[in-house]
Amino acid sequence: MAAAAELQGKYQKLAQEYSKLRAQNQVLKKGVVDEQANSASLKEQLKMKDQSLRKLQQEMDSLTFRNQQLAKRVELLQDELALSEARGKKNKKSAESSSQLTQEQKSVFSEDLQKKIEENERLHILFFEADEQHKRLEAELRTRLEVLEADAAQHQAVVDSLTRKYTDTIEKLQNDKAKLEIKSQTLEREAKDCRLRTEECQQQLKNLQAALGSRLEESLCIINEKVPFNDTRSNRYNALNVPLHNRRYQLKLRDLAGQALAFVQELVAALLNFHTYTEQKVQIFPIDSATDTISPLNQKFSQYLHENASYVRPLEEGMLHLFESITEDTVTVLETSVKLKAFSEHLASYLCFLRKILPYQLKSLEEECESSLCTAALRARNMELHRDMKRLTAVFEKLHTYISLLVLPSTKPEGLLRTNYNLVFTNIATSLHGFHDILKDISKHYSQKATLEQDVPTATQKLITTNDCILSSVVALTNGVGKIASFFSNNLDHFTASLSYGPKGGTEFISPVSAECMLQYKKKAVAYMKSLKKVQQSLEKIAKLEQEKEHWMLEAQLAKIKLEKENQKLKNSLSGHLSETIQDRSVLPNVAEQKKETTEKSPREPIKSTSLAPDVESREDLIKNHYMARIAELTSHLQLADSKSVHFHAECRALAKRLSLAEKSKESLTEELKLASQNISRLQDELMTTKRSYEDQLSMMSDHLCSMNETLTKQREEIDTLKMTSKGNSKKNKNR
C-alpha cells in the first residue's frame, strides 16, 4: 500500500509538472505568434519605407530634371553673355554706359550661377549619401528580417518537436502508469498473501518458541542431571571440538583462492618475461655481445638472470597446492593452512634471488651511465631506475615478512596472536598497493629510457624490439599487481572473518596439532554421518520390503481363497457331470442286452475315458485362464499406479518449476519496479532540465525581441530624420 501511495504521489507530481509545462507551452506559442506578428509589422514597415524611398526617388528625379533645366538655362545665359561680350568689343566706345550695366549684370549672374552650382553639388552629395544610407539600412533590415524569420522557424520547429516529444512521453508515462497500477495491484495482492503468511508464520513461530522453550528446559534438566563433563568450558578441550562448518565461507574462500591463483599465474608470466628480456638487454646494450665482449659484471648478471625460472615458477606451484588444499569439506583457517608454508618458502627463495641480482643490476646501470653513449637525460633515467629497483626488493621483503607471519599459526601458534590477524592482512594490502605504485614508476621511467635509447646513434632494431618487450612485460606486471592489490583490498574483511574462526564457545585453536586432530575428528564425523545415512537408507529399504512382503502375502491369501472357491465350483460341476455319466451307464447295459451281451464292456470303457479326459483339460484351462486374467488385472493395476506416480511426479516437478518461475517473476517485478522508479526520477530530471531550457529560451527570445524593438525604433528615427531632411531639401528646391 505504501508503494502504491508513493506511486500515486509521484504521478500526481508528474501531472502537476505536465500542467505547468502545458501552460509554459501555451506561453511559448503566444510568444511565437507575437513574434510572427512583429515580423509581419516589420514587413509592413519595410513596405512603407520602400514607398517613401520611391517618393524620395521621384522627388530626386524631379530635382535632377530641374537641375538639368537650370544647367541648360545657365548655358544659354553663358552663350548670350559671350554674344554680348563680342558685341561689346565692337561697340566699346559707343556703349560704355551699357557695358558697365552688363558688367554688373554679369557679376550678379555669375554669383547667382555659382551659388546654384554649389547648392546643386551639395544636393547631389546629400542625395548620394541618403541613397547609400537607405540602401545600407534596407540591406540590414532585410538581413535582420531573414534572421528573425529563420529564428521564428527554428523556434517553431523546436516547439513542434517538444510538443511531439512531450506527447510521446505523456503516452509512455500513461502506459507505464497503467502497467505500474497493474503491478501495484498484483503486489498488493501478494502483500496481502504475505501478511497472511507472516501471521501464520508468527503463530507457528510462537508455537515453536513455546515448544522449543519446553524442550530447552527438558534438555537443560537432562544435561544438568546426566552430563558429567562439559568440554566447552576449557579452551584446551574445546580446541579439539569440530567447529561449525560454514559451507558458504568455504565455497567463497575456494573461489577467492582460484582468483588469486589466476592472478599469481599472470604475475609469474610477467616476471619471467621481465627477467628474460632484461637478460637480452644486458647482452646488447651498451655493448652488443655479437660484435664485442661485454663486461664481466654484465656476464655474471646475465648468468644469474638466466636462472630466473627456477625461482619464479615455484610461486605458481605453491599457490596451486594451496588452492587444491581448500575444498568444500575442509575447514580452512590459518591454523590448518599448512600449504601456505610452502608458498612462503618459495617466496623466500625468490626474494633471495632478487637480493642476489640487485647489486649486479645496480652496478650494470652505473656502468651504463659511465658509457660514452649515455646522455645526461638517459643518465637521470638510469638513476631513477636505480632507486626503483631498491624499492622493488624492499617491498618484496615486506610481503615475505607479512606472509611468513601468516604461516606462524600453522607452525608456531604462539608467534602470532589472533588479535593481530587483521593488522597483518591490512599491512599486506598496503604493501601490495605500494608494490603497484613502484611498478607504475618503473614503467614510467623505463618508457622514458626506451625513448631516449632510440635516439642513440648506435641504436639497432634489436635494441628497440627488446626495449618494447621489456616495457610490455613491465606493463603486464603493473596490471597484474594492480589486480592483486584491488582484489586483496576488496576481500580484506572476508579474509579476516573466514580465516580466524574456531570451535563454538572457544576463541582459538591451541596448536596446529589440535587443529589437525580437529580435522581428523571432522573426517570421522563425516564418515559416521555417511554411515548413519546408509543405515537409514537400508532401514527404509527394509521397511519398504516388509510392506511389499505383507502386501504380497495378502495377495497370496486372497488368491488362495479364490482358488478354493474355484476348486469348489469345479468339484460341484464335476459331481454333476459324474451323475450324468452314471445315468448313461445304467441305460447302456439295457441296450447291450437287447443286441449282444459280448459288447457290454466295450462301450463302457471308451465312454469313461472320453468323458473324463476333456473334464480334466477344461478344469486346467479354467484355472489357467483365471490366473492369467488375475495377472493381467494386477499388471494393469500396477501400470495404472506407475502412470499415476509418474503423473504425480510430473505435477510435482511442474509445481516446483512454477514456484521457481513465480519467485523469478517476483524478483523481476521488483527489479522492474526499481527500474520504473529510476525511470520516473530520470523523467523528472529531464522535465526539470527541459523546463529550465524553456525558461532560458524564453528569456533569450524576450531579450532578442527587446533588441529588435530598439533597432526598429532607431530605424524609425533615422527614417524620420531622412524624411525631414528630404522635405527640407524639397522645400528649398521649390523656393529656389
Side-chain angles (χ1 to χ4, degrees), residues 338-389:
V338 182
K339 299 296 182 180
L340 187 61
K341 183 180 178 182
F343 180 74
S344 177
E345 290 174 353
H346 295 320
L347 184 61
S349 65
Y350 179 67
L351 180 60
C352 293
F353 171 71
L354 289 179
R355 288 172 180 169
K356 182 171 67 174
I357 66 171
L358 180 62
Y360 294 97
Q361 193 167 12
L362 299 180
K363 290 291 183 182
S364 177
L365 289 171
E366 292 173 0
E367 183 178 342
E368 185 178 341
C369 291
E370 293 174 358
S371 176
S372 60
L373 299 174
C374 187
T375 60
L378 188 57
R379 191 176 296 110
R381 300 291 86 75
N382 286 333
M383 296 311 295
E384 288 174 350
L385 287 172
H386 192 279
R387 291 189 294 272
D388 293 337
M389 293 303 168

Side-chain angles (χ1 to χ4, degrees), residues 177-219:
K177 182 181 178 182
K179 290 179 182 178
L180 289 172
E181 285 178 353
I182 294 168
K183 288 180 182 178
S184 64
Q185 291 175 0
T186 55
L187 289 173
E188 285 177 358
R189 288 195 294 271
E190 290 178 358
K192 289 180 181 178
D193 296 335
C194 290
R195 287 195 198 94
L196 296 173
R197 289 178 185 174
T198 51
E199 290 176 358
E200 293 176 357
C201 291
Q202 286 177 358
Q203 188 64 34
Q204 290 178 2
L205 181 62
K206 289 179 182 178
N207 297 329
L208 287 173
Q209 285 178 351
L212 289 173
S214 61
R215 290 177 66 184
L216 179 62
E217 291 176 358
E218 292 176 0
S219 61

Side-chain angles (χ1 to χ4, degrees), residues 84-120:
S84 63
E85 285 178 355
R87 291 174 183 174
K89 286 180 182 179
K90 294 179 180 178
N91 299 320
K92 281 183 181 179
K93 293 179 180 180
S94 64
E96 287 180 358
S97 61
S98 62
S99 64
Q100 290 177 357
L101 181 61
T102 55
Q103 279 291 80
E104 290 175 359
Q105 290 177 354
K106 186 177 181 181
S107 62
V108 171
F109 283 140
S110 62
E111 288 177 1
D112 191 9
L113 181 62
Q114 188 66 33
K115 288 179 181 180
K116 295 275 186 182
I117 290 167
E118 290 176 357
E119 188 176 359
N120 194 7

Side-chain angles (χ1 to χ4, degrees), residues 27-42 144 148-149 151-152 155 697-713:
V27 173
L28 279 174
K29 286 183 178 179
K30 187 176 179 182
V32 171
V33 171
D34 294 337
E35 189 175 356
Q36 289 176 354
N38 289 327
S39 64
S41 64
L42 286 173
R144 287 179 184 176
L148 289 172
E149 287 178 351
D151 291 337
H155 289 308
Q697 288 178 2
L698 284 172
S699 61
M700 290 173 66
M701 287 173 70
S702 62
D703 295 335
H704 190 62
L705 289 171
C706 291
S707 63
M708 285 173 64
N709 289 325
E710 290 176 358
T711 53
L712 286 172
T713 52

Side-chain angles (χ1 to χ4, degrees), residues 248-366:
R248 185 179 63 186
Y249 273 179
Q250 282 297 120
L251 293 174
K252 177 70 174 175
L253 197 61
R254 182 171 175 81
D255 185 22
L256 294 177
Q259 296 180 23
L261 175 62
F263 292 147
V264 169
Q265 288 174 349
E266 292 181 5
L267 181 66
V268 166
L271 286 172
L272 288 171
N273 292 330
F274 177 68
H275 292 311
T276 303
Y277 292 133
T278 305
E279 179 189 358
Q280 294 180 7
K281 174 71 180 297
V282 170
Q283 294 286 336
I284 61 175
F285 191 79
I287 299 172
D288 194 353
S289 61
T291 57
D292 199 356
T293 57
I294 61 176
S295 64
L297 176 70
N298 284 333
Q299 289 180 0
K300 197 71 174 176
F301 183 37
S302 176
Q303 181 181 355
Y304 286 152
L305 285 173
H306 192 68
E307 301 171 357
N308 69 88
S310 60
Y311 296 98
V312 177
R313 291 194 184 278
L315 294 174
E316 181 180 355
E317 295 175 359
M319 195 65 199
L320 180 61
H321 292 317
L322 180 62
F323 170 70
E324 291 174 350
S325 66
I326 301 171
T327 60
E328 182 182 349
D329 298 329
T330 59
V331 179
T332 304
V333 290
L334 289 177
E335 288 83 1
T336 60
S337 300
V338 182
K339 299 296 182 180
L340 187 61
K341 183 180 178 182
F343 180 74
S344 177
E345 290 174 353
H346 295 320
L347 184 61
S349 65
Y350 179 67
L351 180 60
C352 293
F353 171 71
L354 289 179
R355 288 172 180 169
K356 182 171 67 174
I357 66 171
L358 180 62
Y360 294 97
Q361 193 167 12
L362 299 180
K363 290 291 183 182
S364 177
L365 289 171
E366 292 173 0

